[in-house]
Amino acid sequence: MDLTSSSGGGDPRQIEETKPLLGGDVPAPEGTKMGAVPCRRALLLCNGMRYKLLQEGDIQVCVIRHPRTFLSKILTSKFLRRWEPHHLTLADNSLASATPTGYMENSVSYSAIEDVQLLSWENAPKYCLQLTIPGGTVLLQAANSYLRDQWFHSLQWKKKIYKYKKVLSNPSRWEVVLKEIRTLVDMALTSPLQDDSINQAPLEIVSKLLSENTNLTTQEHENIIVAIAPLLENNHPPPDLCEFFCKHCRERPRSMVVIEVFTPVVQRILKHNMDFGKCPRLRLFTQEYILALNELNAGMEVVKKFIQSMHGPTGHCPHPRVLPNLVAVCLAAIYSCYEEFINSRDNSPSLKEIRNGCQQPCDRKPTLPLRLLHPSPDLVSQEATLSEARLKSVVVASSEIHVEVEPASTAKPALTASAGDDNEPNLIDCLMVSPACSTMSIELGPQADRTLGCYVEILKLLSDYDDWRPSLASLLQPIPFPKEALAHEKFTKELKYVIQRFAEDPRQEVHSCLLSVRAGKDGWFQLYSPGGVACDDDGELFASMVHILMGSCYKTKKFLLSLAENKLGPCMLLALRGNQTMVEILCLMLEYNIIDNNDTQLQIISTLESTGAGKRMYEQLCDRQRELKELQRKGGPTRLTLPSKSTDADLARLLSSGSFGNLENLSLAFTNVTSACAEHLIKLPSLKQLNLWSTQFGDAGLRLLSEHLTMLQVLNLCETPVTDAGLLALSSMKSLCSLNMNSTKLSADTYEDLKAKLPNLKEVDVRYTEAW
């Protein structure tokens, strides 16, 4: 029997061909009857329901071979054919069964499906779908109406996407292609299906279309971008589409498409992207978009407004991913400025190789210090003997970067690098040990120079936001820039503004990030200190960093020791020039007996006496030392109890009024003393028992006590505001045998840690704490 005939209204396949791909279902031809009640077809979004796109599922299948003229008779018959259970998979191009037997022995291609309908009839209501195919009908019966509708919309979606792939794979006229793209976008936006692939599938089709047709005009490019713009508002563009967007940003940075279409896309990327490592092309697209903004007439003003829009009008940015994503884009862009130079010098991977993952680290040569990478074969021997022949100028040129090494006659003497990991060259060592490298100048090409200026300016803008500064400092604490950038005077000079903002911030979580992450590694503190490769201000920034770090660093003695070991020369030089902070540092070194060498002590004393401020502070130090020695000589009481409600000032007056060199037991219980009194308590060398019950003595004072009163045996901290941050410092007080932490904010982990590190601890009170 001929399946192409119909009882009226013409060939239904012709009806299908005349429909647009997104068009609604066409009413049944006149004369076609479906029993007593005509077939009801679903209308998209008619009930507001949302469905997840089906990829596979269990359903009952029945196939009826018949001419269409007898369809109504069969559907109204009580003796329908038998049903078979099948697990069907909705592949990209066909409907197939996991058990290809019976009705589903052969898969049903989407191209063979002429129509998809929802069916119901009066006498035998079932949740059925009808798929019209050449030679018959496939009936699918679901368990309920929701599942039936889910199958219906999923089949329609798969069928239409399959058709669009075929139509757009062989474009003829681009005006027709553009119309089909718009229809495809509308279909995705109005679909009741909720799934990532609903919006990604059209984007991937357009992405493939653009990659296969590279000879399009600029206007055609812009028309396509505008057409798919609604899909990009809630979806990341796929990788190939990102490449296309990058190309458009580079070739037409002043196009209105960049502002009107790309801006919401980039905003969404910065707000919601979780890992640029998994989608590096998104980072590259964001980078090119910002560079395109910088090419506008207003330049950095436009970029600044964009950063402000990402932060928001309030004092706290509501999107936690914006800052890390912006910093990742900045770091990648700055790296790209030195990429060719880096590749030519130390064979490190290029951004393109990293992005595409085409070369493994094991395939590369080992990284060498910068001072060993000069092309001249005699360079090492020339560095070893500075009195020999002068270094000849060495030029490394590329299309973007030119590097010149000046003659050694103008070089500064070599500096001794601090000890670090034997397998990894110290950063300052790489940049400063070689006299030639210390005078190395780097010149970037015009494009790289503009890129560098743009993204360093963005880092400066980020550092101006108070709520972003702690996270920014943390992200930049392990120095993330290549050593070539740190040897570039222009880069370090511009980045200095960011470091100054860190140094000016009173919050410890910000300015503590100026230090290195661990011993033997360099941080911004070392990089911008006198003698560091980035220092260009005779130590002004270094002095401000020392001042803020000394004001908040609880391990004052440890910090002074590090300064004495590594930066004593710069400290003395700045003190000689009258810097108040450095004068205080040298006095503290003498007061805490940091310097053991007598000659060095005499040199520090001479430095202090060379300025008026230094001379006054040194005289005050001598008076304090004499008073302390007098206290120790005369002795005084062994026990002392301060009256209730006494303050820090009362304690200071009391301790300055007599001799307390023999004081072993001091009770400050139920007074109003705070952590500020710790400065006076540490001057009691014989103190063994200290009662701080129900005072306002906090973590800062506890840290100072733990550093100086190492012989303390009994300590009562009951009902004080101390926390784990201060209690952990007690682990250095090895003589403690009795410790009362009743009613404090002690945690169980800190308690276990203290027990492990205090071997003499015998009496402990942890009632009414988490450790109880």
Side-chain angles (χ1 to χ4, degrees):
M1 288 181 284
D2 187 8
L3 297 177
T4 61
S5 61
S6 65
S7 59
D11 191 342
R13 283 178 296 182
Q14 294 178 357
I15 296 175
E16 179 70 22
E17 291 174 358
T18 58
K19 293 189 298 180
L21 292 182
L22 185 62
D25 293 313
V26 178
E30 296 180 4
T32 301
K33 298 182 180 180
M34 305 296 291
V37 179
C39 171
R40 297 195 300 266
R41 298 193 179 194
L43 298 178
L44 293 179
L45 301 178
C46 62
N47 54 4
M49 295 290 288
R50 293 292 183 267
Y51 309 91
K52 183 170 179 61
L53 178 65
L54 280 175
Q55 301 295 340
E56 57 182 336
D58 296 322
I59 199 167
Q60 299 288 326
V61 180
C62 179
V63 177
I64 304 172
R65 303 292 178 182
H66 63 86
R68 296 193 182 195
T69 52
F70 297 101
L71 181 58
S72 64
K73 292 183 179 181
I74 296 176
L75 292 177
T76 54
S77 172
K78 296 182 179 179
F79 303 101
L80 283 174
R81 308 294 178 88
R82 61 184 176 85
W83 294 89
E84 293 180 354
H86 282 274
H87 185 84
L88 300 185
T89 300
L90 284 75
D92 292 335
N93 53 7
S94 64
L95 181 67
S97 173
T99 55
T101 58
Y103 292 141
M104 297 302 297
E105 183 176 1
N106 299 316
S107 60
V108 180
S109 174
Y110 296 137
S111 60
I113 300 176
E114 299 172 357
D115 198 6
V116 182
Q117 301 179 20
L118 289 177
L119 296 181
S120 66
W121 53 95
E122 286 185 344
N123 297 330
K126 293 182 182 294
Y127 306 113
C128 288
L129 293 176
Q130 173 191 325
L131 311 183
T132 304
I133 61 174
T137 299
V138 178
L139 298 179
L140 304 180
Q141 180 180 349
N144 53 60
S145 61
Y146 182 86
L147 190 58
R148 176 200 61 189
D149 293 345
Q150 189 177 14
W151 274 95
F152 171 73
H153 293 299
S154 299
L155 278 167
Q156 276 199 330
W157 173 261
K158 289 285 188 178
K159 179 175 178 290
K160 291 178 180 178
I161 283 294
Y162 176 76
K163 287 186 178 181
Y164 273 111
K165 287 181 179 179
K166 293 184 64 177
V167 169
L168 297 179
S169 62
N170 296 308
S172 55
R173 293 185 304 166
W174 279 100
E175 59 272 15
V176 177
V177 170
L178 185 61
K179 182 179 179 181
E180 294 293 350
I181 290 175
R182 289 171 180 158
T183 310
L184 174 62
V185 171
D186 290 340
M187 182 185 75
L189 294 176
T190 57
S191 173
L193 295 171
Q194 282 190 330
D195 194 87
D196 293 339
S197 62
I198 298 302
N199 292 321
Q200 285 297 325
L203 291 176
E204 290 173 359
I205 291 174
V206 175
S207 177
K208 183 178 179 182
L209 174 69
L210 293 173
S211 63
E212 294 176 352
N213 298 271
T214 57
N215 57 345
L216 300 180
T217 64
T218 303
Q219 188 59 45
E220 289 170 339
H221 281 180
E222 294 193 353
N223 290 338
I224 293 175
I225 293 173
V226 172
I228 64 176
L231 290 179
L232 297 173
E233 293 180 3
N234 297 313
N235 300 274
H236 290 337
D240 291 339
L241 204 56
C242 285
E243 293 286 353
F244 172 72
F245 290 167
C246 291
K247 181 180 178 183
H248 190 80
C249 288
R250 287 190 294 266
E251 295 179 352
R252 298 203 64 193
R254 296 174 179 267
S255 169
M256 289 305 297
V257 169
V258 173
I259 299 295
E260 296 178 355
V261 179
F262 289 167
T263 297
V265 180
V266 174
Q267 287 176 336
R268 187 182 188 281
I269 291 172
L270 292 176
K271 290 177 182 178
H272 300 289
N273 175 69
M274 298 302 295
D275 185 8
F276 274 133
K278 296 180 180 178
C279 42
R281 285 181 175 83
L282 288 180
R283 182 188 62 201
L284 187 62
F285 167 49
T286 306
Q287 176 182 330
E288 294 292 346
Y289 165 80
I290 294 176
L291 290 177
L293 293 184
N294 193 39
E295 292 294 327
L296 299 177
N297 292 335
M300 282 306 302
E301 286 300 319
V302 181
V303 176
K304 183 177 181 180
K305 290 180 180 178
F306 174 74
I307 299 297
Q308 290 174 344
S309 70
M310 295 307 306
H311 179 275
T314 63
H316 183 76
C317 178
H319 305 287
R321 292 301 309 165
V322 168
L323 178 65
N325 286 334
L326 278 172
V327 172
V329 171
C330 290
L331 296 181
I334 292 172
Y335 186 96
S336 68
C337 297
Y338 302 93
E339 183 182 6
E340 290 190 29
F341 178 56
I342 292 171
N343 294 339
S344 65
R345 302 286 286 185
D346 63 0
N347 200 30
S348 60
S350 65
L351 285 182
K352 185 176 182 181
E353 291 172 342
I354 294 173
R355 187 161 57 243
N356 298 331
C358 62
Q359 188 163 3
Q360 300 298 325
C362 59
D363 298 330
R364 296 197 165 271
K365 299 178 183 178
T367 303
L368 298 176
L370 185 62
R371 59 192 174 96
L372 302 179
L373 296 176
H374 293 279
S376 174
D378 299 327
L379 185 60
V380 177
S381 60
Q382 290 171 344
E383 289 178 356
T385 309
L386 297 179
S387 60
E388 295 182 1
R390 296 180 180 179
L391 290 175
K392 298 181 179 180
S393 295
V394 181
V395 178
V396 178
S398 68
S399 59
E400 288 290 337
I401 301 169
H402 307 278
V403 180
E404 294 184 1
V405 181
E406 298 178 3
S409 58
T410 61
K412 298 178 182 179
L415 300 179
T416 303
S418 59
D421 190 353
D422 293 338
N423 298 324
E424 185 175 350
N426 184 279
L427 177 66
I428 306 300
D429 181 30
C430 292
L431 293 174
M432 295 199 61
V433 168
S434 167
C437 290
S438 65
T439 59
M440 182 176 59
S441 62
I442 298 179
E443 294 182 4
L444 302 181
Q447 181 59 39
D449 193 64
R450 286 194 296 271
T451 301
L452 181 67
C454 174
Y455 282 98
V456 173
E457 193 66 29
I458 290 177
L459 289 177
K460 293 161 74 173
L461 291 174
L462 299 180
S463 68
D464 286 333
Y465 290 95
D466 290 340
D467 59 318
W468 275 353
R469 203 174 298 129
S471 298
L472 178 63
S474 178
L475 291 170
L476 298 184
Q477 183 180 21
I479 299 179
F481 303 104
K483 55 183 178 291
E484 289 76 10
L486 300 176
H488 189 195
E489 182 180 358
K490 179 180 179 180
F491 172 74
T492 54
K493 186 175 182 180
E494 292 295 326
L495 194 66
K496 182 180 177 181
Y497 177 85
V498 179
I499 308 306
Q500 284 177 328
R501 298 293 284 162
F502 294 163
E504 294 167 358
D505 197 293
R507 291 169 291 186
Q508 184 177 351
E509 64 266 29
V510 177
H511 55 247
S512 63
C513 292
L514 296 171
L515 299 171
S516 57
V517 290
R518 62 182 185 273
K521 300 297 179 183
D522 296 299
W524 298 113
F525 179 75
Q526 290 82 5
L527 200 67
Y528 281 90
S529 63
V533 294
C535 182
D536 61 351
D537 57 0
D538 294 330
E540 293 181 8
L541 177 58
F542 171 71
S544 64
M545 288 192 288
V546 171
H547 177 75
I548 192 69
L549 288 170
M550 285 295 296
S552 67
C553 186
Y554 62 87
K555 293 184 178 179
T556 306
K557 194 170 184 179
K558 182 178 180 180
F559 186 61
L560 287 173
L561 280 170
S562 67
L563 287 178
E565 292 174 359
N566 302 310
K567 300 297 176 184
L568 182 59
C571 290
M572 293 175 63
L573 178 62
L574 292 175
L576 190 63
R577 294 175 179 175
N579 186 280
Q580 184 73 14
T581 300
M582 293 302 137
V583 170
E584 295 176 2
I585 291 294
L586 293 183
C587 287
L588 286 173
M589 287 181 180
L590 292 176
E591 184 173 2
Y592 293 159
N593 294 321
I594 300 296
I595 307 298
D596 295 330
N597 187 281
N598 293 333
D599 292 336
T600 305
Q601 289 181 349
L602 292 174
Q603 186 177 356
I604 291 176
I605 293 172
S606 301
T607 301
L608 292 173
E609 291 180 337
S610 63
T611 62
K615 189 173 183 179
R616 286 193 301 273
M617 293 189 69
Y618 178 65
E619 291 174 353
Q620 295 172 2
L621 170 63
C622 292
D623 292 339
R624 289 197 301 271
Q625 294 285 19
R626 282 195 294 269
E627 290 176 4
L628 182 59
K629 292 178 181 178
E630 187 69 15
L631 288 175
Q632 293 174 344
R633 186 179 66 82
K634 292 182 178 179
T638 58
R639 300 176 63 88
L640 179 65
T641 300
L642 206 64
S644 177
K645 305 300 181 181
S646 298
T647 63
D648 294 333
D650 298 328
L651 177 64
R653 282 192 294 270
L654 178 63
L655 294 180
S656 63
S657 63
S659 301
F660 297 96
N662 292 334
L663 187 62
E664 296 181 356
N665 189 321
L666 175 62
S667 176
L668 302 177
F670 306 104
T671 63
N672 294 331
V673 297
T674 66
S675 296
C677 73
E679 296 182 1
H680 306 288
L681 298 179
I682 62 175
K683 297 178 181 179
L684 302 173
S686 302
L687 192 63
K688 295 180 181 179
Q689 300 180 26
L690 178 61
N691 188 351
L692 295 169
W693 189 358
S694 191
T695 64
Q696 294 302 310
F697 198 88
D699 292 337
L702 206 57
R703 292 164 181 155
L704 195 59
L705 293 184
S706 65
E707 186 176 354
H708 293 272
L709 299 181
T710 55
M711 301 305 295
L712 198 66
Q713 298 176 2
V714 180
L715 179 60
N716 190 340
L717 298 172
C718 180
E719 297 181 6
T720 57
V722 294
T723 66
D724 287 346
L727 292 171
L728 282 172
L730 298 178
S731 59
S732 62
M733 305 177 74
K734 305 300 182 182
S735 299
L736 272 179
C737 56
S738 177
L739 180 59
N740 189 336
M741 296 177 286
N742 188 326
S743 303
T744 62
K745 296 180 180 179
L746 172 71
S747 68
D749 292 340
T750 300
Y751 176 52
E752 294 298 328
D753 189 56
L754 287 175
K755 286 197 301 182
K757 293 181 179 179
L758 296 176
N760 296 322
L761 194 61
K762 298 177 181 178
E763 298 180 3
V764 184
D765 188 350
V766 293
R767 290 175 294 172
Y768 308 107
T769 66
E770 291 183 9
W772 188 33

